[in-house]
Amino acid sequence: MTENKLYNVAIVGATGAVGQKILTILEDKDFPLNELKLLSSKRSAGKKVSFKNKELLVEEAVPESFKGVDIALFSAGGSVSKQLAPEAVKHGAVVIDNTSAYRMAENVPLVVPEVNKEDISNHQGIIANPNCSTIQMVAALKPLQDAFGINRVIVSTYQAVSGAGAQANQELEKQAQQFLDGEDLTAELLPVKGDEKHYPIAFNALPQIDVFQDNGYTFEEMKMINETKKIMHAPELSVAATCVRLPFFTSHAESIYVEVDKEGVKVADLWEALESAEGVVLEDDPASQTYPTPLSAANKESVFVGRVRKDLDNDKGFHMWVVSDNLMKGAALNTVQIAESLIKNNWL
Amino acid sequence: MTENKLYNVAIVGATGAVGQKILTILEDKDFPLNELKLLSSKRSAGKKVSFKNKELLVEEAVPESFKGVDIALFSAGGSVSKQLAPEAVKHGAVVIDNTSAYRMAENVPLVVPEVNKEDISNHQGIIANPNCSTIQMVAALKPLQDAFGINRVIVSTYQAVSGAGAQANQELEKQAQQFLDGEDLTAELLPVKGDEKHYPIAFNALPQIDVFQDNGYTFEEMKMINETKKIMHAPELSVAATCVRLPFFTSHAESIYVEVDKEGVKVADLWEALESAEGVVLEDDPASQTYPTPLSAANKESVFVGRVRKDLDNDKGFHMWVVSDNLMKGAALNTVQIAESLIKNNWL
């Protein structure tokens, strides 16, 4: 790290839910920031956003926007990333992309710093930020992989509506009020904006996140399966996922079954591995009803783990409950942490 | 079945959520009913309840209440069942108990008619109705057990607040309104009425249903594990459960992983087995976004199954999403169906 060097950072999608969280995190952190450039679609350009008591003008993102930019943080949807990330790279920026556009590309590192920070060093201009539900799972699995080896993961998710964007929050709020007022619920967005049918999310559960693939799994489920293997460098790891959207605003929760390689592992061994893991906080004491919930994890930086227990039939099987703020560690915070790793390790 | 014979039925807990559902079902069904006796705690006695356009007086349940009663349906909590079910049996009634008081007792059949109707014939006066989350799971597992054999089940549940009683519905509704009004949420009941701490359920998820056991599992989880083995006559079946309370009023949903014994089984084979199973309705077409949800299953009699797919790593592993109204098939309907089986097969 060049001492005292400051960096020009661009945020593409600055007015979106994740873009706004990135701004909050950059304000709070001691990030070596020189110039901050806020970019968006034509539609949102011209808006003003406050940052450290200054008003910043949001500009339309075009190829020329990236001149002089060192690090460009993209979260404006896959199509924007596909179009503009290569342009940013051409202009000399390193892109950290928060969409699914490049995650599975061979020459693009997919990174959760606590898990595979070193992969950043191989970047060719673009580094991908994993899917929110993947990030918190691998953060909790990594210490177990290191300590005991793992060979099998089965996860069922409990995911907040904010993963589908700020509009989904509004839809949940509107439908909840409609229900309390005795009105019919109007569903216009969820489960998937561009899909054919829409179902109410208020006081309901939708077993579909993102569109269905030919194999009967949703794209969200396939993201969890494929991204986990890539991030953990474990192509042989068996991963199965069922992803469900639920009526809360913030944080994803996950019921995870994991099988370890080592024999004779105890719950106390998992606790020890999890407690000493970077970015993970153990909240697990049944006697005092201590476990994380979506509300308790909201606006926090960590991945919270509770309900750790041994399978009653399989000596190598364990169950746990993993909760994290999907916009923080699940998106904005992990993006900023990748940028910090880039800088700290001279990997720009 | 004695032709045209009519039966005297008592409902203990007639003013509760399940008792009310039982009344609705008895009104709708062509049940061979002679006299209907509504019983309750001292507190609710004296209330009037309408049944088939008549007003019925609710009486306090005491041992003598069961004189002349053929079938007594209990859903007034475990302590009431422990106290009064033996008294009802002494007076010649057959008890169908909807609490956990007798479920694991050796001489008490635990019955889901579609799964183990014949067990009713061994009753010694008391027949137990399983836990709501167990009933819908075994209804979906039974056709797979019959067709392919099964050896392993891992379930994560998504459970409605009404499983914790009518007061829990009121708590969710109140908290949802508090949230929309920008007020702090007051939690007084959930996750468990008698437990020390209470957490908000509105816009949240609570990974605790019923109290914790010494092994780190909740009592709800142990109910699912133990009851499933008993009902399916499968002591060697590996069953693991994680039970989570969610902010919706009606229906439990379950993400179930199941391993079959037979090799080469396909999703189409599971569809066929499920479609021909009694009490089960297959709602599974990803192309048209067809799958059951808590709202779509509410007030219906069946167990709905969707999202059936093969595990991507294990040829014998399958995932499915099972939804049913927790007060209907999960409680009141199954109770009435046991009574119907009793009568139809002359097992009284």
Side-chain angles (χ1 to χ4, degrees):
Chain A
M1 174 163 126
T2 316
E3 213 163 325
N4 297 327
K5 186 173 176 208
L6 299 177
Y7 298 84
N8 296 333
V9 173
I11 300 178
V12 184
T15 59
V18 175
Q20 289 290 305
K21 275 279 175 193
I22 290 176
L23 283 169
T24 311
I25 293 166
L26 289 178
E27 275 187 324
D28 291 350
K29 279 185 177 269
D30 191 24
F31 194 94
L33 196 62
N34 183 37
E35 204 192 316
L36 181 63
K37 202 168 209 173
L38 303 187
L39 302 171
S40 73
S41 64
K42 199 169 186 171
R43 191 169 45 84
S44 295
K47 283 190 185 172
K48 283 186 176 166
V49 167
S50 93
F51 182 78
K52 293 195 174 175
N53 299 317
K54 276 191 251 175
E55 291 270 286
L56 297 181
L57 183 71
V58 180
E59 301 166 47
E60 187 189 348
V62 293
E64 293 69 37
S65 308
F66 300 97
K67 276 182 194 161
V69 168
D70 298 306
I71 302 174
L73 311 177
F74 275 70
S75 20
S79 58
V80 174
S81 292
K82 276 181 188 157
Q83 195 199 328
L84 288 178
E87 299 292 338
V89 174
K90 269 188 215 162
H91 284 93
V94 172
V95 167
I96 304 172
D97 183 33
N98 198 31
T99 77
S100 64
Y102 297 99
R103 283 181 194 148
M104 296 311 296
E106 258 188 44
N107 59 348
V108 173
L110 181 66
V111 177
V112 178
E114 299 92 318
V115 179
N116 64 333
K117 189 167 51 188
E118 326 70 44
D119 288 356
I120 298 174
S121 63
N122 301 322
H123 80 81
Q124 296 172 31
I126 301 178
I127 300 155
N129 196 61
N131 190 46
C132 44
S133 51
T134 311
I135 291 176
Q136 68 185 68
M137 182 163 81
V138 296
L141 290 177
K142 172 68 172 171
L144 309 186
Q145 186 191 37
D146 287 349
F148 320 114
I150 62 172
N151 54 68
R152 181 173 212 190
V153 175
I154 300 174
V155 58
S156 295
T157 71
Y158 302 70
Q159 296 186 230
V161 294
S162 58
Q167 282 182 301
N169 284 358
Q170 290 157 18
E171 179 158 282
L172 170 56
E173 197 164 332
K174 189 183 75 178
Q175 289 175 355
Q177 192 60 66
Q178 287 174 326
F179 177 89
L180 294 171
D181 293 343
E183 297 169 10
D184 288 341
L185 309 190
T186 51
E188 292 164 343
L189 179 68
L190 291 169
V192 182
K193 194 177 181 180
D195 221 337
E196 205 180 328
K197 292 182 187 167
H198 301 292
Y199 303 111
I201 185 65
F203 308 108
N204 203 12
L206 300 178
Q208 183 194 356
I209 299 184
D210 217 322
V211 293
F212 280 103
Q213 311 295 289
D214 289 342
N215 64 359
Y217 286 75
T218 61
F219 189 44
E220 182 83 358
E221 288 159 358
M222 292 312 301
K223 283 185 239 172
M224 289 195 80
I225 292 168
N226 293 325
E227 293 179 15
T228 297
K229 295 180 195 204
K230 176 169 177 175
I231 297 165
M232 301 192 81
H233 297 186
E236 302 300 317
L237 179 65
S238 163
V239 183
T242 300
C243 292
V244 182
R245 187 75 76 193
L246 289 166
F248 41 82
F249 296 97
T250 311
S251 307
H252 294 340
E254 299 175 346
S255 167
I256 299 176
Y257 171 74
V258 56
E259 273 175 23
V260 300
D261 293 332
K262 203 175 159 185
E263 280 183 22
V265 176
K266 291 177 186 146
V267 167
D269 300 323
L270 266 78
W271 279 338
E272 198 188 322
L274 290 162
E275 260 185 328
S276 55
E278 201 187 335
V280 173
V281 171
L282 188 67
E283 289 189 343
D284 191 7
D285 180 29
S288 64
Q289 294 176 267
T290 299
Y291 39 70
T293 69
L295 281 183
S296 75
N299 300 313
K300 295 187 182 156
E301 297 201 348
S302 302
V303 172
F304 298 90
V305 183
R307 301 286 337 266
V308 180
R309 59 212 194 279
K310 193 169 227 182
D311 194 89
L312 298 177
D313 298 297
N314 185 340
D315 181 59
K316 294 177 174 178
F318 292 88
H319 303 269
M320 57 183 183
W321 171 253
V322 176
V323 188
S324 190
D325 186 320
N326 56 308
L327 298 180
M328 290 288 288
K329 183 60 188 171
L333 179 64
N334 197 65
T335 300
V336 174
Q337 287 171 332
I338 293 172
E340 289 177 325
S341 278
L342 258 176
I343 292 170
K344 198 175 162 190
N345 297 284
N346 270 321
W347 286 331
L348 262 177
Chain B
M1 175 162 124
T2 316
E3 215 165 322
N4 298 326
K5 185 171 177 211
L6 299 177
Y7 297 86
N8 297 333
V9 173
I11 301 179
V12 185
T15 59
V18 175
Q20 289 290 304
K21 276 278 176 194
I22 290 176
L23 282 168
T24 311
I25 293 166
L26 289 179
E27 275 187 325
D28 292 348
K29 279 185 177 269
D30 192 23
F31 194 94
L33 195 62
N34 182 37
E35 204 192 315
L36 181 63
K37 201 167 209 173
L38 303 187
L39 302 171
S40 73
S41 63
K42 197 168 188 173
R43 192 169 45 85
S44 295
K47 284 189 184 171
K48 282 185 178 168
V49 168
S50 93
F51 182 77
K52 294 196 174 174
N53 300 318
K54 277 191 251 174
E55 291 270 285
L56 297 180
L57 183 71
V58 179
E59 301 167 48
E60 187 189 347
V62 293
E64 292 68 37
S65 307
F66 300 97
K67 274 181 196 162
V69 168
D70 299 306
I71 302 173
L73 311 177
F74 275 70
S75 22
S79 59
V80 175
S81 292
K82 275 181 189 157
Q83 195 199 327
L84 288 178
E87 299 292 338
V89 174
K90 268 188 216 164
H91 283 93
V94 173
V95 168
I96 304 173
D97 183 33
N98 198 32
T99 77
S100 64
Y102 297 100
R103 285 182 192 148
M104 296 311 297
E106 257 187 45
N107 58 347
V108 173
L110 182 65
V111 177
V112 178
E114 299 92 319
V115 179
N116 64 332
K117 188 167 54 188
E118 326 70 46
D119 289 356
I120 298 174
S121 64
N122 301 322
H123 80 82
Q124 296 172 30
I126 301 178
I127 300 156
N129 197 61
N131 190 46
C132 44
S133 51
T134 310
I135 292 177
Q136 66 184 70
M137 182 162 83
V138 297
L141 290 177
K142 172 67 172 172
L144 309 186
Q145 185 191 37
D146 287 349
F148 320 114
I150 63 171
N151 54 67
R152 181 172 212 190
V153 175
I154 299 174
V155 59
S156 294
T157 71
Y158 302 69
Q159 296 186 229
V161 293
S162 58
Q167 281 182 302
N169 284 358
Q170 290 158 18
E171 177 158 283
L172 170 56
E173 197 165 331
K174 189 183 74 178
Q175 289 174 354
Q177 192 61 64
Q178 286 174 327
F179 177 88
L180 294 171
D181 294 344
E183 296 169 10
D184 287 341
L185 309 190
T186 51
E188 291 163 345
L189 180 68
L190 290 170
V192 182
K193 194 178 182 181
D195 221 337
E196 203 179 329
K197 292 183 188 167
H198 302 292
Y199 303 112
I201 184 64
F203 308 108
N204 203 12
L206 300 178
Q208 182 193 356
I209 299 185
D210 217 322
V211 292
F212 280 102
Q213 310 295 290
D214 289 341
N215 64 0
Y217 287 75
T218 61
F219 189 44
E220 183 82 358
E221 289 159 356
M222 292 312 300
K223 283 185 238 173
M224 288 196 80
I225 292 167
N226 293 326
E227 293 180 15
T228 298
K229 296 181 194 204
K230 176 169 177 176
I231 298 165
M232 301 193 80
H233 297 188
E236 301 301 318
L237 179 65
S238 162
V239 184
T242 300
C243 293
V244 182
R245 187 75 75 193
L246 289 166
F248 40 83
F249 296 97
T250 311
S251 307
H252 294 339
E254 298 175 347
S255 167
I256 299 176
Y257 170 74
V258 56
E259 274 175 23
V260 301
D261 293 332
K262 203 176 158 185
E263 280 183 23
V265 175
K266 292 176 185 145
V267 167
D269 299 324
L270 265 77
W271 279 338
E272 199 187 322
L274 290 162
E275 260 185 328
S276 56
E278 201 187 335
V280 174
V281 171
L282 189 67
E283 290 188 342
D284 191 8
D285 180 29
S288 64
Q289 294 176 266
T290 300
Y291 40 71
T293 69
L295 280 184
S296 75
N299 299 311
K300 295 188 182 153
E301 296 200 348
S302 302
V303 173
F304 299 91
V305 184
R307 302 285 339 264
V308 180
R309 58 212 194 280
K310 194 169 225 182
D311 193 89
L312 298 176
D313 298 297
N314 185 341
D315 182 59
K316 295 178 173 177
F318 293 88
H319 303 270
M320 59 184 182
W321 172 252
V322 176
V323 189
S324 191
D325 186 321
N326 56 308
L327 298 179
M328 290 288 287
K329 183 61 188 171
L333 179 64
N334 197 66
T335 300
V336 174
Q337 286 171 334
I338 293 173
E340 289 178 325
S341 278
L342 258 177
I343 292 170
K344 198 175 162 189
N345 296 284
N346 270 322
W347 287 331
L348 263 176

